[in-house]
């Protein structure tokens, strides 16, 4: 018979950079493996007023079968998703992702 006791979970971190209300690391709740991009941004505090919310960059490290990895960048129109103006399915954010939003030009 074996008894296992979990004393601590490894933190699952997403990094926010750019014109978000809060920048830096964001910890997922321990029971969550992934979150929709709108939910994770909302839980982190949203955007600054000057953020270009129609072009949020998500940088993700993708690992291959051979042990190598590459960085992939996705551009997500979070503004349209928040307003319900997109027929697209959810865009999931995973631990290790970096989110970046730049300032919109007036």
């Amino acid at each position: 018979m074996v008894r296992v006791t979990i004393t601590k979970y490894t933190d699952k971190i997403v990094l926010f950079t750019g014109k978000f209300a809060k920048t830096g690391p964001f910890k997922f709740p321990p029971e969550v493996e992934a979150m929709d991009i709108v939910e994770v941004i909302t839980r982190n505090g949203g955007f600054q007023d000057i953020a270009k919310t129609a072009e949020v960059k998500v940088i993700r490290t993708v690992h291959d079968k051979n042990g190598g990895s590459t960085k992939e960048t996705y551009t997500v129109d979070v503004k349209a998703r928040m307003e319900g103006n997109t027929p697209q399915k959810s865009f999931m954010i995973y631990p290790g992702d970096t989110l970046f939003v730049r300032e919109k030009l007036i």
Side-chain angles (χ1 to χ4, degrees):
M1 181 180 284
V2 175
R3 183 178 197 179
V4 177
T5 303
I6 298 172
T7 57
K8 182 180 178 185
Y9 288 96
T10 301
D11 290 335
K12 297 178 238 170
I13 303 289
V14 170
L15 184 62
F16 282 87
T17 61
K19 301 301 176 184
F20 288 102
K22 291 189 270 183
T23 57
F26 170 81
K27 289 183 191 179
F28 276 21
E31 68 279 2
V32 175
E33 294 296 322
M35 273 193 253
D36 180 72
I37 190 166
V38 173
E39 181 180 2
V40 76
I41 290 170
T42 301
R43 285 185 179 209
N44 189 58
F47 296 100
Q48 293 180 17
D49 291 338
I50 61 172
K52 190 169 186 176
T53 58
E55 290 183 18
V56 176
K57 303 283 186 196
V58 178
I59 300 107
R60 179 173 295 156
T61 302
V62 179
H63 301 279
D64 63 26
K65 295 182 236 178
N66 302 323
S69 64
T70 58
K71 297 260 185 206
E72 293 185 359
T73 302
Y74 307 90
T75 302
V76 183
D77 186 347
V78 175
K79 179 181 180 185
R81 290 173 182 278
M82 291 177 126
E83 294 171 350
N85 295 333
T86 181
Q88 298 174 349
K89 61 181 181 176
S90 297
F91 187 92
M92 301 306 285
I93 300 299
Y94 299 96
D97 287 353
T98 299
L99 282 74
F100 170 76
V101 65
R102 63 186 171 107
E103 184 176 339
K104 62 184 169 188
L105 301 175
I106 298 175

